[in-house]
Amino acid sequence: TVATILKSGAKTLCFGGDHFITLPLLRGYAQNHGELALIHFDAHTDTYDEDERYNHGSMFRRAPDEGLVDPARSIQVGIRTDYDVAEHPYEVLDALEASEESVDVIVDAIRRRVGNEPAYLSFDIDCLDPAFAPGTGTPVVGGLSTARALAILQGIADLNIVGFDLVEVAPAYDHADITALAGASLALQFLYMRASRND
């Protein structure tokens, strides 16, 4: 469906729900743009090789296997859970780096990695600290603030980002709608980024 929408010249901003939705979205985008760079904000790498081949923790392991994503041009931001550093194909800016380095340093790292390649941006709301986004299925303390995430996104607005998704918002886990507000604000920022390119 997304591939058909893109062929018409329209753009998409998709919402989840389970982060697994990114894999079929990448398939649709790759049909139109070829192999993509990935800019991935998350607490988890989602490159796990678990019993089930396809689930919400494995799609960024499967995407390179399908030729959808080039790990050498991709970066993950906000990671703060275990992964095999020696075998990990993506560059990682962990949550400590992403929180303590200046926004300019983080933006420059993303720019160096992605360059001018067509890029897909996937934002798992659990990249944010649970203080800013408690309504998610797998919260992990020590994440980014909403303000910092927005500032990083503003800094990469002129990259060739062809698609966005925002995932893992679970309003039922958040009595005050803090997470939904953060998600809506990030989605609005994506729209600003898209509009600022004028293409």
Side-chain angles (χ1 to χ4, degrees), residues 6-86:
L6 296 175
K7 285 175 184 172
S8 77
K11 310 295 182 189
T12 69
L13 165 56
C14 297
F15 295 89
D18 196 306
H19 203 163
F20 182 77
I21 68 165
T22 303
L23 186 61
L25 291 171
L26 287 170
R27 290 171 180 157
Y29 269 87
Q31 285 182 37
N32 285 267
H33 297 282
E35 191 176 55
L36 299 157
L38 175 69
I39 306 170
H40 173 211
F41 290 80
D42 206 321
H44 314 85
T45 64
D46 293 338
T47 56
Y48 309 109
D49 196 12
E50 300 170 346
D51 292 339
E52 296 178 35
R53 182 169 172 79
Y54 294 101
N55 60 43
H56 73 119
S58 68
M59 62 281 178
F60 296 131
R61 174 179 289 268
R62 307 302 170 216
D65 294 345
E66 295 186 22
L68 308 177
V69 166
D70 178 6
R73 305 300 298 166
S74 300
I75 190 164
Q76 297 179 307
V77 181
I79 305 301
R80 52 194 185 276
T81 49
D82 291 339
Y83 63 97
D84 187 338
V85 176

Side-chain angles (χ1 to χ4, degrees), residues 147-169:
R148 176 159 283 252
L150 288 169
I152 295 168
L153 293 176
Q154 289 162 8
I156 61 172
D158 61 340
L159 293 182
N160 186 18
I161 300 172
V162 296
F164 303 94
D165 66 49
L166 175 74
V167 297
E168 297 290 344
V169 175

